[in-house]
Amino acid sequence: MTTTALGIPRRLLEFTIDGEPVRAPEGSTILDACRAAGTDVPTLCEGDTLRPRNACRVCVVEVEGSRTLVPACSRKAEGGMEVRTGTERVRHSRKIVLELLASSVDLSTTPRVREWIKEYGAEPGRFGADAGRVNEAPRVDNDLYVRDYGKCILCYKCVDACGDQWQNSFAISVAGRGFDARIAVEHDAPLTESACVYCGNCIEVCPTGALSFKSEFDMRAAGTWDEDRQTETTTVCAYCGVGCNLTLHVQDNEIVKVTSPHDNPVTHGNLCIKGRFGYQHVQNRN
Amino acid sequence: MDLHFGDSKPTDDERAAVDALLGPPESSWEGADRSDADLRWARGGRAARDRRDLLLPGLHAINDRIGWISAGALDYLCRRLTVPPAEAYGVATFYAMFSVRPRPSTVLHVCTDLACTAAGAADLCAGIEARLGPGIHLERSPCLGLCERAPAALTVRAGDPVRTAVSAPATVRDTVLAATAPDSAPEEPPPATAVPQAGNPGLTLLARVGVVDPESLDDYRAHGGYRALRRAFDLGPAAVIREVTDSGLVGRGGAAFPTGRKWQATASQPDHPHYLVCNADESEPGTFKDRVIMEGDPYSLVEAMTIAGYATGAHHGYLYLRGEYPRALARMEHALTQARARGLLGPDVLGQGYAFDIEIRRGAGAYICGEETALFNSIEGYRGEPRSKPPFPVEKGLFGKPTVENNVETLVNVLPILTGGAQAYAAVGTEASTGPKLYCVSGSVERPGVYEFPFGVTLGDVLREAGVRDGLRAVLLGGAAGGFVRADELDIPLTFEGTRAAGATVGSGVVMAFDSTVPLPRLLLRIAEFFRDESCGQCVPCRVGTVRQEEALRRLGEGRGAAAAADDIALLREVGRAMRDASICGLGQTAWNAVESAIDRLGAYE
Amino acid sequence: MRKRGPRNYTRLTHPLVRDSRDEPFRQASWQEALDRAARGIARNRGKFGMFSCARATNEMNYVAQKFARVVMGTNNVDSCNRTCHAPSVAGLSAAFGSGGGTSSYEEIEHTDVIVMWGSNARFAHPIFFQHVLKGIRNGARMYAVDPRRTSTAEWAESWLGLNVGTDIPMAHAVGREIIHAGLVNEAFVERATSGFEEYKALVEPWTLSLAEKVTGVPAAAIGELAHAYARAERAQLCWTLGITEHHNGTDNVRALINLSLLTGHVGRYGSGLQPLRGQNNVQGGGDMGAIPNRLPGFQDILDAGVRHKFESAWDTVIQPHYGLNLTEMFEAMEEGTLRAVYCIGENPAQSEADSEQAVRRLKALDFLVVQDIFLTRTAELADVVLPATAGWAETEGTTTNSERRVQRVRRAVAPPGEAREDIDIICELAARLGHEWKYADAEAVWNELRSVSPDHYGMTYPRLERHQGIQWPCPSTDELEPPYLHGRLWDPDPARRGRLAPFGLVRHDPPVDLTDERFPIRLTTGRRLDSYNTGVQSGSFASPLRRGEFIELCPEDAERYGVVVGERVQVTSRRGSVVAPVWIDTALRPGLAFMTMHFPDEVDTNSLTIEANCPIAGTAEFKASAIRIDKLPVATIVR
């Protein structure tokens, strides 16, 4: 017996991706359909728990009849659409976007970006040594996490996770405009004077490592961070009865980072300060 | 919401400025003194959160009174409106007219944009800086929309009330005087001086400018005002839309979308309420026609908005007015008050049982807010960042509701369509570009100003009427987002199809003439700086692309040799192409247009 | 502001023993420690009590209660759920025959009205509150009933700031208003409940104006809450310790349940009752039978059929009566009828109300064995201390959350030193006491539990893995049940509808510790966002939010007593006195103060609280003490 509403079945749309016919349920994005079809589309600002912001524009594809390229992450698929993901025009924009990003911020901890830079033939160095960069020193103003905005691509994911989509603390926003826009707390104050409740849900969604556990930041600085030597084990938080799933990242029998599965029905990838950072007591071993 | 507030407290003035807008706080949770009742029962929730759209007016209220927005003032405003301080800070820092750092109460905005640069803005700035006393803050500003009287300056002195003074054409002496004592600055010349054709019987859209008293509703009615609205009520909404559709009217803001189709699409949306938004955030460099209409014939806009609202089923209209237009603001506020007093706005317009009112929202210095969805975000109290389309505004616009958005010029075209009929209107112009069109002519001409011509005259016709000076080198057509044409291309017909065929654009109707005394690289750099400044920063192609373009143009201006120039031009083209293809909105998509046309058409940097 | 460094408890790595309580502990081998523990327990057969652990796994709780019942032949097994949510279990069982919350988190995202009663979930259950926020963003209206205007309350459409301990008058007034406004769900009341007429008569005196007098909340606000809750098509009623930690906590719970019965807000998708559990396995501990009145699967000990099933499964005889609950065990220590305690992972020396009394009683035991990961205050009183593993990071097993979801916990790090898993230790002791239990692993324990608990039968480890946890009941290995309980109450067929849900005929009984001229301030307690219980776990990480313990006062009271933020003051109740610095919180009102129990080593808040217990559930009235504030002779300011 199951009485849970499963919703009205969604109708299927038929369209083409790179000439191949595909079917996707109504409401799917082009990106959903591409992934289902096994077509790799690079993404940076897209997040599986967040509404698409389509800010980075690295996922653009060509849609027949559209004057401009369209972001695959947010554009809904439509019946009869002809989507092309690998045209020269698409590859050109992706290449330029990667060059613009890599020439202005530090992408060294952004997963997969090195691979894409190679794939699209991007040359971030060609804007010259004087090309303007987002020069921000890492902000280490608390013992739990570090904000290194020199790595920030302004994807808005941290703002959305902190804001009305999940945490509703609204500790951060984009302040300023254009190239001078930065993620900031009110009055650009230190984090410790802000509305931040240190849930770390911004770290969970940050695609570039601009936000990281202090433990990860310190280990990277010391050259000891080694993901190949880490295990990830999902368990249940011990701090209250809600039952949040924690994924403990362990290196050398030390918990170095905590995440939560994004598809978990309890957390949807979110935790509170205790679940995210309150593990130290287990390893007070001597 | 469990908002976090710091220890900063508002001053009495700051509190008074906010309370003047919002009324006194209702409870201690909103900032009043603590009472026993507050400590037993507090209201909040949806109603409290739904006042977010008063954030921008609140920021204006503080900035107008104090001259800048302190942490204490911002916190108080946030407490009153249940807005998170971090978000309010993000909004406050988005707009050029606001400052979150202390500054003098008087801010002098000196335009350094294209027309003013061509008219000597650099020397003006230098002269003013040398003579300006303390207590006045000088801001180099993008286009102030006073190009017919370039160079231009605008003084804003915070206080109760805020005072403004326009200096145009600005001299160092007058400007410094106006900034020092804005109250005793000379009156601006009447709007008719911006309309060299004023009084010409062939005019339609500008017929009343310089003819009627812009303060007088009676005078407006004596000159044919409110005939169009009465006809609209006779026809009914569906027939009004049909008339507008049949007239062939297309949007005059630059995108040239058929107005009737937009109205029809909004009117037919089952979701309610519907909104009407008039885009009067006229910020395209070189454009000032909307200002002239609002200053010279404000009731025509009120009437046209009422018709648009009626046709599309909206009962609430927003007039989003550029923050740098003090006289237009005053005239429109006055016109709305008068129209309300006479029952031409309000619960029962013309006794026809139709409720409609208009609220003015002031912009605060952000070109991007001319983009319709950015404008919606701005009204709603968010950063003026464009939204992704689809969904289009006719389906999900302001507050997520079906919204018809038109600019001022488009709307006032509706009046002759209704008074004269769609057929007569469509007979003006060409088959594909119907009706009259306004042109903002500035630069190297004897009689700069707003001109009205039927679609189909040539660029040369317009320039000759304005008295183009000798030595014309290039014309910027359509604004900074438009493109340059050469002096030998003056036979381009000014129609949508004609300009398109010539690889140019009518755009917002800018016709800016440059002679060879103006160094082209400097103009192009200024255009690039403009877009870099005005990029909202949301998408990568525009945020970083405008920076890379400005850098390349700077290098080109330094003249590093032919090979280097070729590299930089190639770079500009590559980046420009991605900006055009992959930016979210029209700003990024068109930011490279003018520079590209200068390279391709004018042979800049050769 | 005072900055708090981490308060570090260091992990126990070796067994500790001592010959007398006057001696310091010495390190011992497992062999010796276990032998000593076994001897100490064995000599107190018949006078033995087991404190199981609401933070350990279901498997450990199952084995612990089995140890008490099979090895020691007693039902004296309980855990710290007694100090928090036992009234919820008691109240819900009385109404519906089952002690779990009736709804799932997901449902609160799709409901129309949410009532948060005595719950600052924003701080105490932040991720549950995210589901509430989803609901609010989806259009639900939230109402908060709480003496303080907490962060939770700040999200509400309407916050009702009632007097501490006047929840029953408030609930009864809401009920009366619903009845008088004709908003009773008559179909449900008639079909699924009993005792409505008596209830109607009971609440009849509770007019809105009388309720206003008693609760302090304007009649209009109470009326609005009543109408909002009753008119909603779906509504969720959530509560936490603000309801349960009273001397009449079970009555409070019943009074709230009555409202759901009146309006039919139970047993349907989106409508239900959610008690928010304070500890990771306080639900599971009870489900596993680590409570004195239930066998695993929440099966009643008094049911002979149930007993028989367990007796044959375990090859033992089960005492056919309820054992002592935690509170009663402490009283039995006083009387000398309970002489030995096996305490696993609990810290009653600091978590019990009137903590001085608790310590005195523990000291009087003949034998105390404590099994923990730290040398807690309770462990410091023990004869034998056994180093265990952290349930959530060093152990395989399952826990059960507030929405009855059984989820897998897994071993991510190796325990320090010689620390061993709880189940191993218990089995070693059982073996020494004549019971050789062989469990290959936690899954083996779980499968034994599945075989005796129908509600858990369908939850195999692979299924738990696949579904990211399964909610009970789950009797089938093929299907999943709906996310809410008691859908039966809506069944048209009386046979399937089962036992009707009785209205709880409960009366207002104000807090035991009355305020008067000597003790004019009402002290209530709660949690802060970054801290947990007695701070043993949460004290170790460097929270930027932590500022230590304060006595929080409203600005008016601070002015009245002439104290400023950071000034240390004497806080005195009829039971004890502590010195704490002052914090000023605008969420409080005159006569209402707030403290937590997170920093007992600095400020032992529970030396102020009263051991006035709910007679049904045994939970103490942590939420209502009467105190007085005195300035110190020499002012000291803490920064």
Side-chain angles (χ1 to χ4, degrees), chain B residues 484 524 527-528 553 572 591-600 605:
Chain B
F484 285 96
L524 300 184
I527 290 173
L553 288 168
L572 281 168
W592 144 252
N593 283 1
V595 175
E596 183 187 35
S597 70
I599 293 170
D600 288 347
Y605 308 111

Side-chain angles (χ1 to χ4, degrees), chain C residues 2 528 547-552 566 580-583 594-596:
Chain C
R2 253 187 326 170
R528 295 213 181 88
R547 53 169 208 248
E549 190 54 73
F550 281 79
I551 168 95
E552 297 184 9
V582 168
W583 187 261
F594 177 79
M595 294 181 82
T596 77

Side-chain angles (χ1 to χ4, degrees), chain B residues 66-356:
Chain B
I66 312 297
W68 68 287
I69 298 160
S70 71
L74 192 73
D75 276 6
Y76 181 66
L77 179 62
C78 289
R79 196 184 281 278
R80 293 298 315 275
L81 295 176
T82 316
V83 171
E87 289 208 343
Y89 182 78
V91 172
T93 54
F94 186 82
Y95 296 100
M97 291 179 78
F98 298 146
S99 172
V100 293
R101 311 258 169 267
R103 65 177 176 186
S105 61
T106 303
V107 179
L108 174 61
H109 302 267
V110 180
C111 178
T112 59
D113 220 316
L114 303 174
C116 290
T117 289
D123 292 345
L124 178 68
C125 275
I128 291 171
E129 253 174 348
R131 294 188 48 186
L132 206 58
I136 299 171
H137 176 76
L138 177 80
E139 283 271 351
R140 284 173 173 76
S141 162
C143 183
L144 288 172
L146 294 160
C147 316
E148 86 278 16
R149 285 182 275 151
L154 169 67
T155 299
V156 180
R157 170 165 292 177
D160 184 19
V162 62
R163 272 138 310 167
T164 58
V166 167
S167 312
T171 62
V172 172
R173 188 176 161 275
D174 295 350
T175 310
V176 170
L177 266 178
T180 314
D183 286 333
S184 48
E187 188 86 353
E188 269 193 83
T193 56
V195 182
Q197 297 165 307
N200 183 333
L203 296 178
T204 307
L205 305 175
L206 298 175
R208 277 181 292 255
V209 178
V211 175
V212 298
D213 173 1
E215 307 252 296
S216 167
L217 177 55
D218 292 336
D219 206 21
Y220 175 68
R221 288 160 73 196
H223 287 83
Y226 280 101
R227 280 193 6 225
L229 178 61
R230 188 165 291 282
R231 170 127 170 83
F233 281 131
D234 290 345
L235 290 171
V240 171
I241 293 176
R242 198 184 60 225
E243 284 293 301
V244 173
T245 307
D246 291 351
S247 74
L249 175 65
V250 302
R252 304 296 198 233
F257 190 84
T259 306
R261 262 174 61 196
K262 195 187 259 189
W263 287 20
Q264 178 60 46
T266 309
S268 63
Q269 290 292 327
D271 194 10
H272 283 278
H274 293 182
Y275 289 107
L276 168 72
V277 173
C278 173
N279 184 346
D281 191 43
E282 181 174 65
S283 316
E284 183 68 43
T287 315
F288 48 94
K289 59 196 168 70
D290 295 349
R291 190 200 88 230
V292 170
I293 290 172
M294 290 187 286
E295 289 180 348
D297 191 12
Y299 294 99
S300 67
L301 182 58
V302 177
E303 183 182 1
M305 285 181 71
T306 311
I307 294 167
Y310 174 66
T312 56
H315 297 287
H316 200 103
Y318 286 90
L319 174 62
Y320 190 91
L321 213 161
R322 221 191 143 183
E324 295 90 338
Y325 278 180
R327 183 160 71 176
L329 174 67
R331 289 276 157 82
M332 291 310 305
E333 278 177 342
H334 179 78
L336 294 180
T337 308
Q338 292 298 307
R340 266 181 221 122
R342 300 293 184 83
L344 295 167
L345 287 175
D348 189 11
V349 175
L350 269 183
Q352 297 284 323
Y354 167 61
F356 185 71

